[in-house]
Amino acid sequence: MDYVTKNKVSLSGAEILLESLINHGVDTVFGYPGGQIVNVYDKLPLYEDRLHHILVRHEQGAIHAAQGYARASHRIGAVMVTSGPGATNVVTGIADAMIDSTPVVVVAGQVGTKLLGTDAFQETDFIGLTSPISKWAYQIRRTEDIEWAVSRAFYIAGSGRPGPVVLDFTRDAQVGMAELKGTTCDFIRSYRPIPEPSEESMRIAASMINKAKKPFLVYGHGIILSEAEKELEAFLDKSNIPAGSTLLGLSALSTDNPHYKGMLGMHGNLATNTLTQRCDLLIAVGMRFDDRVTGNVSTYAKNAKIIHIDIDESEIGKIIKTDVGILGDAKHVLSRLTELIDKRESYDWQMEDIMCNAVEKHKVIDPEINPGEGYINPGEVVARVADKTEGKAIVVTDVGQNQMLAARYSRFAQSRSMITSGGLGTMGFGIPAAMGAKVAMPDRQVCLFVGDGGMQMTIQELGTIMQEGIGLKIILLNNNWLGNVRQWQELFYGERYSATRMVNPDYGKIASAYDIDYAFVEKREDLLPAIDKMLSDPTKPFILEVHVKESSLVFPMIAPGRSVDEIMLTSDESFEYGN
Amino acid sequence: MNLLNMETEELYYEVTVYTENQVGLLSSIAGIFTRRSLNIDKLVVFPSEIPGVHKFSIRTHTTEEKMKQTVLQIEKKVDVIKAFYYEHPNNTQKEYEAVRKFLQGHEK
């Protein structure tokens, strides 16, 4: 480190910020310059060998890219934007990162301290706007506070339950001079990121697990965030308990793992939702019982005692009454529980998922991914890409039908292979998030599934992809509809298709304008060759537009607000366990 | 208190929050009440007896279930040190009722 030599030299606040970012391991920052951050941008070229700045086309692209970067790599994403509109444009992404526990640090320029509160040009109360949707929001008013604030920001963003942190960086602090100290932070007295789990609660849980006749484990993003994949696998190997994943937990267990039974929730698998309702013990790890998972809470897991393991105390008992709550880091708790539980070879109820799988395959999966003739189904495209990548790609999705189908029909060989906007459900997340994922993991294939709606919400980032040569693969499932809302309209709103029909541009011309390779497929026989062509060079971006069946519906489906027992297999057929 | 009452019976609560002295905490704590549609009946913020630690004293009315979750969400804020809630001693309410009754008697 050159901190020792630079120690006695005074630097401007702008330089101190950049030094601090590098000091905290940042090698890439996604951003957009503007009047109140121009001082920092002025110093950027001095650091270009250590800090790569990626100029996005809209600030929303910067924050989603940082989210994709963080989710793919287990590092902290960094964003730099100007005040006012630059800052407000990242608000959606901050809310998204908060609800999906994604570690990002956002540095936003701010007007000089004398102008604060005066409605100055491009002034906005960014702390006021972001404190309800960020883990920590702090305004840096003095140059000598920069290092302190940045080190706290990175510590807070990455520790415990991760989340977005906002630094509102006033102009005075940017232009002032101070000495660089190399400040780091690993303790804040008001903040206990990793609670110590109580041995007693773990012993009680272990004895419940040992006594259970029909145990079932559900896990979420917490497994990936705490890097507890191996511990989860060891727990399942010893206990032989079947497991289901939330949308954000996907890829924590390989889809080939024998204990893995599928995805939970509204468009989850029959087996996982049925096991939830039939189990006598539900062990929930690193998940928060989102309403898309639970359906009607009053009938959720109605036969089960509940053990909830989470790092965030406010999650335990928030939605579902728990019999035992274990507050702690999933990695630590699972490894201790594995020691405490008895080895079990099998459970009597272990075959129950097989019947569910057979029904789902016959009624839903085969017709979706192997229709044989007619229009190409969107799920079919996902399945063919999964075949070709052998589940090794990082799958990124936008939001809607494309997302649910990508979640259902992708395969995952390793963790951190599913990046999607879960809690907030942000359309437009896909392109920039995939961009960030590819920047973080250049050696992996990154395959984005996006609909024609979400594609156009952040389509401007094709410019960033062009400028930076980011080799992501965009699979555009074009049905000329906002498919997910259309599905609700068809099923629950009397087929009144209000504002969901979408007339699309010629994406081939758009791709050519951005100098991105492109293929269009509407015939089944062209699909596999086009996927091969798309995947042939992982370093080059590619847009594969597939014209898919317009009226395609995603099943199974638990209608909003209904019980997890009430699973629709098609528009007019429900699933009854045992029939 | 049984579970059913926890979910439905509204009581007065006194919430106390001990925090670092950071700008913006008042609005972010108040925001947690707003998000859950809880009315703040009384709010006092002052330096506590511990140097450098600020104290919020908040009165609200809600169910115990909601109160508990709200306090956990407040405590989750990085700059919040500790948060507590107590069933509000009902004396004040009884006094108010007595005063109201007295005044009504005079109006007639």
Side-chain angles (χ1 to χ4, degrees):
Chain A
M1 283 282 156
D2 18 354
Y3 287 100
V4 184
T5 50
K6 283 189 180 165
N7 218 356
K8 292 184 183 71
V9 185
S10 273
L11 295 175
S12 73
E15 288 167 292
I16 292 174
L17 175 85
L18 295 168
E19 290 277 359
S20 310
L21 291 178
I22 293 164
N23 188 19
H24 287 88
V26 176
D27 57 10
T28 308
V29 56
F30 299 92
Y32 206 101
Q36 297 304 345
I37 194 77
V38 68
N39 288 294
V40 179
Y41 274 86
D42 184 48
K43 300 295 180 191
L44 254 181
L46 299 175
Y47 298 88
E48 65 186 359
D49 54 331
R50 290 185 285 163
L51 191 59
H52 180 47
H53 178 269
I54 294 179
L55 175 66
V56 294
R57 293 300 181 270
H58 183 287
E59 289 88 351
Q60 187 186 357
I63 179 97
H64 291 328
Q67 290 178 270
Y69 178 94
R71 295 265 287 271
S73 67
H74 197 60
R75 296 197 291 263
I76 297 174
V79 174
M80 198 155 69
V81 294
T82 192
S83 65
T88 55
N89 279 346
V90 298
V91 166
T92 302
I94 293 170
D96 192 292
M98 184 67 176
I99 199 161
D100 283 351
S101 312
T102 308
V104 287
V105 171
V106 176
V107 179
Q110 181 58 282
V111 300
T113 50
K114 284 199 178 68
L115 291 172
L116 286 170
T118 65
D119 300 326
F121 179 65
Q122 293 190 333
E123 187 212 353
T124 189
D125 175 11
F126 198 42
I127 297 294
L129 280 169
T130 55
S131 57
I133 52 163
S134 62
K135 196 170 167 189
W136 193 59
Y138 185 79
Q139 187 172 64
I140 307 173
R141 288 181 220 92
R142 303 185 313 167
T143 309
E144 52 268 42
D145 295 340
I146 295 172
E147 282 191 275
W148 175 86
V150 172
S151 62
R152 274 171 79 104
F154 277 83
Y155 174 56
I156 292 167
S159 58
R161 180 177 178 178
V165 169
V166 169
L167 294 174
D168 196 30
F169 194 21
T170 63
R171 194 172 181 284
D172 309 37
Q174 294 174 34
V175 298
M177 302 296 282
E179 276 179 15
L180 192 68
K181 298 192 187 77
T183 310
T184 56
C185 172
D186 59 7
F187 175 76
I188 295 171
R189 68 172 187 173
S190 58
Y191 172 62
R192 296 282 178 280
I194 302 180
E196 189 61 38
S198 102
E199 177 68 15
E200 196 201 346
S201 65
M202 290 192 287
R203 284 187 180 279
I204 295 169
S207 110
M208 286 164 74
I209 293 167
N210 291 337
K211 284 185 199 133
K213 292 193 169 60
K214 296 177 168 190
F216 183 48
L217 184 142
V218 294
Y219 64 89
H221 200 189
I223 298 292
I224 297 170
L225 292 169
S226 101
E227 299 188 287
E229 295 92 344
K230 291 229 158 50
E231 286 73 13
L232 174 63
E233 228 175 299
F235 176 87
L236 297 173
D237 284 344
K238 185 170 180 189
S239 64
N240 263 299
I241 293 174
S245 175
T246 67
L247 176 65
L248 290 194
L250 289 177
S251 82
L253 276 186
S254 153
T255 39
D256 293 333
N257 186 299
H259 309 294
Y260 177 71
K261 303 300 175 195
M263 184 174 75
L264 300 156
M266 182 176 270
H267 293 293
N269 293 99
L270 286 187
T272 48
N273 285 321
T274 305
L275 294 184
T276 302
Q277 295 307 80
R278 292 178 55 79
C279 68
D280 64 357
L281 178 68
L282 189 77
I283 308 153
V285 195
M287 56 87 78
R288 58 181 180 83
F289 295 107
D290 184 274
D291 55 88
R292 286 294 185 268
V293 164
T294 63
N296 182 351
V297 176
S298 64
T299 58
Y300 179 77
K302 57 193 173 192
N303 299 310
K305 288 206 178 329
I306 313 261
I307 297 170
H308 190 183
I309 301 163
D310 206 282
I311 201 163
D312 179 352
E313 191 176 5
S314 72
E315 290 298 347
I316 294 176
K318 185 183 82 176
I319 304 291
I320 300 286
K321 300 230 156 26
T322 36
D323 296 276
V324 178
I326 304 176
L327 188 58
D329 183 52
K331 191 181 182 83
H332 177 181
V333 174
L334 282 173
S335 77
R336 181 68 186 131
L337 279 179
T338 307
E339 290 169 5
L340 291 171
I341 55 169
D342 299 336
K343 168 95 182 130
R344 287 282 290 262
E345 292 308 327
S346 67
Y347 289 89
D348 295 343
W349 86 312
Q350 212 135 26
M351 308 308 272
E352 294 195 8
D353 62 293
I354 292 176
M355 188 282 268
C356 300
N357 289 343
V359 174
E360 186 172 348
K361 185 169 185 323
H362 174 64
K363 293 283 183 185
V364 180
I365 298 174
D366 278 345
E368 177 69 30
I369 69 173
N370 297 310
E373 54 189 43
Y375 279 113
I376 299 175
N377 285 330
E380 186 180 354
V381 182
V382 175
R384 294 300 93 82
V385 171
D387 292 342
K388 288 287 182 187
T389 58
E390 297 170 329
K392 289 178 189 150
I394 295 178
V395 175
V396 184
T397 82
D398 206 76
V399 166
Q401 290 184 320
N402 63 84
Q403 175 185 37
M404 291 297 113
L405 293 164
R408 286 181 54 79
Y409 299 116
S410 290
R411 295 206 304 274
F412 303 108
Q414 67 181 90
S415 186
R416 295 192 174 274
S417 295
M418 175 63 168
I419 297 170
T420 191
S421 165
L424 200 68
T426 306
M427 277 178 72
F429 176 84
I431 296 178
M435 229 164 65
K438 185 67 185 178
V439 169
M441 308 301 276
D443 297 334
R444 293 187 69 188
Q445 284 277 17
V446 173
C447 293
L448 164 69
F449 294 97
V450 59
D452 44 306
M455 176 88 180
Q456 291 180 85
M457 276 203 182
T458 43
I459 198 165
Q460 75 286 346
E461 298 309 329
L462 293 178
T464 313
I465 293 166
M466 170 182 65
Q467 185 168 350
E468 294 285 329
I470 302 169
L472 70 137
K473 310 300 179 186
I474 299 175
I475 300 128
L476 168 60
L477 304 171
N478 187 356
N479 63 354
N480 294 306
W481 285 94
L482 298 174
N484 210 45
V485 178
R486 189 199 168 282
Q487 173 161 352
W488 285 41
Q489 289 171 333
E490 177 172 340
L491 297 175
F492 314 121
Y493 291 88
E495 301 182 39
R496 292 181 296 280
Y497 299 118
S498 171
T500 41
R501 186 77 176 140
M502 189 168 257
V503 176
N504 275 288
D506 182 335
Y507 291 105
K509 284 185 182 159
I510 289 175
S512 131
Y514 285 106
D515 200 19
I516 295 174
D517 289 343
Y518 167 86
F520 175 78
V521 171
E522 62 183 340
K523 293 199 194 92
R524 183 158 287 108
E525 59 266 31
D526 298 335
L527 182 58
L528 284 178
I531 294 173
D532 280 334
K533 191 178 166 202
M534 170 182 82
L535 295 173
S536 61
D537 185 352
T539 64
K540 286 180 76 181
F542 197 101
I543 299 173
L544 170 60
E545 179 182 0
V546 186
H547 190 193
V548 295
K549 187 177 167 189
E550 297 211 348
S551 56
S552 179
L553 300 174
V554 183
F555 286 108
M557 180 175 195
I558 297 162
R562 304 307 284 269
S563 166
V564 173
D565 296 302
E566 301 171 57
I567 305 175
M568 301 162 72
L569 286 173
T570 63
S571 324
D572 44 34
E573 191 178 358
S574 309
F575 174 67
E576 300 272 343
Y577 181 81
N579 286 358
Chain B
M1 182 180 292
N2 71 37
L3 215 56
L4 196 72
N5 283 347
M6 257 184 88
E7 283 172 16
T8 56
E9 191 186 335
E10 289 215 348
L11 292 169
Y12 280 91
Y13 289 98
E14 192 84 35
V15 180
T16 47
V17 186
Y18 292 84
T19 74
E20 299 292 357
N21 182 17
Q22 287 286 1
V23 182
L25 262 178
L26 170 61
S27 68
S28 75
I29 289 170
I32 295 170
F33 283 80
T34 312
R35 228 182 132 188
R36 286 185 167 261
S37 309
L38 298 184
N39 216 17
I40 291 178
D41 299 330
K42 184 200 80 180
L43 169 70
V44 189
V45 189
F46 51 98
S48 79
E49 289 172 16
I50 308 161
V53 174
H54 275 234
K55 183 173 174 180
F56 289 61
S57 172
I58 304 162
R59 194 206 297 157
T60 188
H61 57 276
T62 182
T63 62
E64 180 164 19
E65 181 85 2
K66 232 178 178 183
M67 190 70 267
K68 196 175 153 194
Q69 287 304 319
T70 305
V71 165
L72 286 174
Q73 285 177 328
I74 293 170
E75 215 167 46
K76 192 169 144 178
K77 287 270 163 196
V78 169
D79 294 313
V80 170
I81 299 164
K82 264 285 176 201
F84 306 90
Y85 71 96
Y86 305 98
E87 237 177 83
H88 189 262
N90 254 337
N91 297 346
T92 327
Q93 289 310 310
K94 279 181 187 154
E95 288 167 13
Y96 281 137
E97 277 162 30
V99 171
R100 273 192 213 102
K101 215 170 179 181
F102 181 81
L103 289 173
Q104 275 174 1
H106 275 269
E107 276 166 15
K108 277 179 189 169

